[in-house]
Every structure is written in structure tokens, then in C-alpha cells.
């Protein structure tokens, strides 16, 4: 796949108060992507997907912290983004138990290749701020008799907080656990769920000096109505 992309700044990019930048230029980019799939829909082997991509972007819009501590968007002259992504997925039904395992690894190198100012040359070939090079996602899904147990684990690698890559935030791992129960009826479905987020109470920051929540819980009920069956549409 080869594409040409054009992206106008959003209203928030232009006019957010405080920090908007009404002088932003639109992004323009060429992107290329190639992928391979192994063992697609194979009965006993896991399906493996491998994708490589490359992108050259002019005037990349990037929100960054200013001297006063306010975040504001600016255009980066030229950005080269490239990487690979691989996914392994395995599904199996054992009697009435459905098992699904999925593992995904993504490597992304996004760096500035040209700058508008000679004073910014220290940022050339450096990883973009807050863009991790490595991300790993793994999940296990078990379902039987209307019950579903879902465990998801994510590793996010080191992220730089300065354009010259002299300061960084450590990588972190987050785990979430979800239990659901589905009740089916002819005219509606009810789903009752409970979640434990950040299962291992990990201390981490997505943005520097802004700690994220520790372990927290969520529960709820979802009701899906089948309007076609609620309304009598029988034709005579």
C-alpha cells in the first residue's frame, strides 16, 4: 500500500486556550506499507502477521511543553517514521470453552530529519518526544456459558521527554482484568461486567510529572435492545 496524505490542523491545534497556534501549516506525507500473513485461518497453527511501514512527513504537528509549562503545537519540518509490527493470534474451542490468545509487538522509530532552524540541529535523528520505540501487548480471552474472562497486559518502553533525548521516562507495564456475564433474550441482551484496572498497582507516568492512577475498579450493566423485535414489523 502506498499513500499520499494531507492533514489540516484541527480547531484545537489552532485555537485552544491557552496554547493554540493559529500559524500552523498542514501536514503532508508519503507513506508505504507492506504486510505478510502466515497460517491464515489454519486449524492448528497460530496466525502470524508481519507489517513494515515507512512514512516521510512534512510539517508534522506536535504538541510540546513550552518554557512556561504550557503545551502548544508546532510544525516539525521533516519527520521520518518507520517501523515494524508483528501479531500472533491463536484461537481454539475446547468443548464449550473458547480460548483466544493474542500477542502484538510494535517497533517505531520516529525522528526529525530536517529542522526549520540551525539552532535545532541537536534534535536531528533523535526519537520524537513521548513516542516509545517499543510496545508489547498480550491478551488472553476465555469464554464459556455466557461468562467471559479477559486479561490484557501492556508493556510500553522508554519515552524521551526532551527533543535532544537527554531526559526520559522509564518504561512501564500495565495489566487489566475483566469478567463479564451475558444474558440473552429474544428482544434484548444484558451484559454485567466488573473490571480491575492497573491490576498490579503500577506507578507510572504517561506525561512527565503527571502520575497516573493506581489500581482502580469499574462495574456496570449494558443493555442492548433489538428494535426490530420490539416493534412488530410483520407484514400481512
Amino acid at each position: 500500500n502506498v499513500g499520499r496524505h494531507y492533514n489540516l490542523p484541527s480547531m484545537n491545534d489552532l485555537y485552544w486556550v491557552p496554547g493554540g497556534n493559529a500559524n500552523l501549516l498542514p501536514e503532508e506525507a508519503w507513506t508505504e506499507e507492506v504486510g505478510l500473513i502466515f497460517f491464515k485461518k489454519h486449524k492448528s497453527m497460530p496466525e502470524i502477521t508481519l507489517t513494515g511501514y515507512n512514512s516521510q512527513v512534512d510539517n508534522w504537528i506536535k504538541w510540546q511543553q513550552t518554557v512556561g509549562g504550557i503545551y502548544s503545537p508546532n510544525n516539525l519540518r521533516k519527520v521520518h517514521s518507520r517501523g515494524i509490527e508483528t501479531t500472533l493470534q491463536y484461537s481454539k474451542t475446547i468443548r464449550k470453552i473458547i480460548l483466544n490468545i493474542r500477542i502484538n509487538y510494535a517497533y517505531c522509530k520516529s525522528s526529525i530529519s530536517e529542522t526549520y532552524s540551525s539552532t535545532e540541529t541537536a534534535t536531528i535523528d533523535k526519537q520524537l518526544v513521548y513516542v516509545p520505540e517499543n510496545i508489547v501487548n498480550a491478551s488472553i480471552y476465555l469464554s464459556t456459558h455466557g461468562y467471559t474472562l479477559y486479561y490484557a497486559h501492556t508493556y510500553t518502553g522508554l519515552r524521551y521527554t526532551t527533543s535532544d533525548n537527554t531526559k526520559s521516562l522509564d518504561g512501564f507495564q500495565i495489566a487489566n482484568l475483566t469478567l463479564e456475564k451475558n444474558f440473552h433474550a429474544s428482544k434484548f441482551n444484558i451484559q454485567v461486567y466488573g473490571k480491575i484496572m492497573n491490576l498490579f498497582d503500577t506507578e507510572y507516568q504517561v506525561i512527565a510529572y503527571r502520575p497516573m492512577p493506581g489500581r482502580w475498579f469499574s462495574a456496570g450493566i449494558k443493555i442492548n435492545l433489538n428494535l426490530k423485535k420490539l416493534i412488530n414489523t410483520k407484514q400481512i
Side-chain angles (χ1 to χ4, degrees), residues 12-21 62-74 129-130 161 207-210:
N12 283 345
D13 292 331
L14 295 170
Y15 305 116
W16 185 265
V17 179
N21 183 354
K62 181 69 174 177
W63 283 76
Q64 299 187 76
Q65 192 172 21
T66 63
V67 176
I70 296 173
Y71 280 81
S72 180
N74 282 295
V129 173
Y130 290 120
T161 58
I207 298 176
Y209 309 111
R210 298 188 183 184

Side-chain angles (χ1 to χ4, degrees), residues 156-214:
T156 302
L158 174 147
R159 289 147 300 129
Y160 294 103
T161 58
T162 56
S163 299
D164 59 2
N165 290 180
T166 56
K167 296 181 180 180
S168 62
L169 291 175
D170 293 335
F172 59 89
Q173 299 185 53
I174 297 296
N176 299 320
L177 185 66
T178 302
L179 178 63
E180 298 176 354
K181 171 60 177 174
N182 289 286
F183 302 91
H184 299 284
S186 61
K187 297 180 181 179
F188 60 88
N189 295 324
I190 298 177
Q191 181 188 86
V192 181
Y193 66 89
K195 298 181 179 182
I196 305 176
M197 312 301 289
N198 193 359
L199 181 63
F200 302 114
D201 201 23
T202 301
E203 294 183 5
Y204 69 104
Q205 298 177 25
V206 175
I207 298 176
Y209 309 111
R210 298 188 183 184
M212 297 298 291

Side-chain angles (χ1 to χ4, degrees), residues 32-94:
E32 305 86 33
E33 181 181 291
V34 60
L36 294 169
I37 300 177
F38 302 92
F39 310 116
K40 186 175 183 179
K41 297 181 180 179
H42 198 280
K43 291 183 179 180
S44 58
M45 296 294 292
E47 181 176 293
I48 300 172
T49 303
L50 180 64
T51 304
Y53 63 90
N54 181 70
S55 181
Q56 299 279 356
V57 186
D58 290 339
N59 300 316
W60 182 306
I61 297 172
K62 181 69 174 177
W63 283 76
Q64 299 187 76
Q65 192 172 21
T66 63
V67 176
I70 296 173
Y71 280 81
S72 180
N74 282 295
N75 290 116
L76 305 181
R77 178 67 188 93
K78 282 186 180 293
V79 172
H80 185 197
S81 180
R82 62 277 192 198
I84 58 172
E85 184 172 344
T86 182
T87 301
L88 183 150
Q89 183 166 296
Y90 178 75
S91 297
K92 184 75 172 179
T93 300
I94 305 171

Side-chain angles (χ1 to χ4, degrees), residues 73-184:
N74 282 295
N75 290 116
L76 305 181
R77 178 67 188 93
K78 282 186 180 293
V79 172
H80 185 197
S81 180
R82 62 277 192 198
I84 58 172
E85 184 172 344
T86 182
T87 301
L88 183 150
Q89 183 166 296
Y90 178 75
S91 297
K92 184 75 172 179
T93 300
I94 305 171
R95 294 184 179 179
K96 294 184 179 182
I97 300 175
I98 300 173
L99 169 67
N100 184 280
I101 299 173
R102 180 183 175 90
I103 301 173
N104 175 269
Y105 168 70
Y107 170 79
C108 175
K109 180 67 175 178
S110 293
S111 56
I112 298 173
S113 54
E114 273 186 44
T115 62
Y116 278 112
S117 172
S118 58
T119 61
E120 299 175 333
T121 53
T123 66
I124 293 179
D125 294 329
K126 300 295 194 300
Q127 183 77 354
L128 293 185
V129 173
Y130 290 120
V131 178
E133 291 188 7
N134 299 285
I135 296 178
V136 181
N137 295 293
S139 63
I140 299 175
Y141 171 100
L142 284 170
S143 181
T144 183
H145 299 291
Y147 289 94
T148 299
L149 182 66
Y150 181 77
Y151 175 82
H153 198 105
T154 300
Y155 166 76
T156 302
L158 174 147
R159 289 147 300 129
Y160 294 103
T161 58
T162 56
S163 299
D164 59 2
N165 290 180
T166 56
K167 296 181 180 180
S168 62
L169 291 175
D170 293 335
F172 59 89
Q173 299 185 53
I174 297 296
N176 299 320
L177 185 66
T178 302
L179 178 63
E180 298 176 354
K181 171 60 177 174
N182 289 286
F183 302 91
H184 299 284

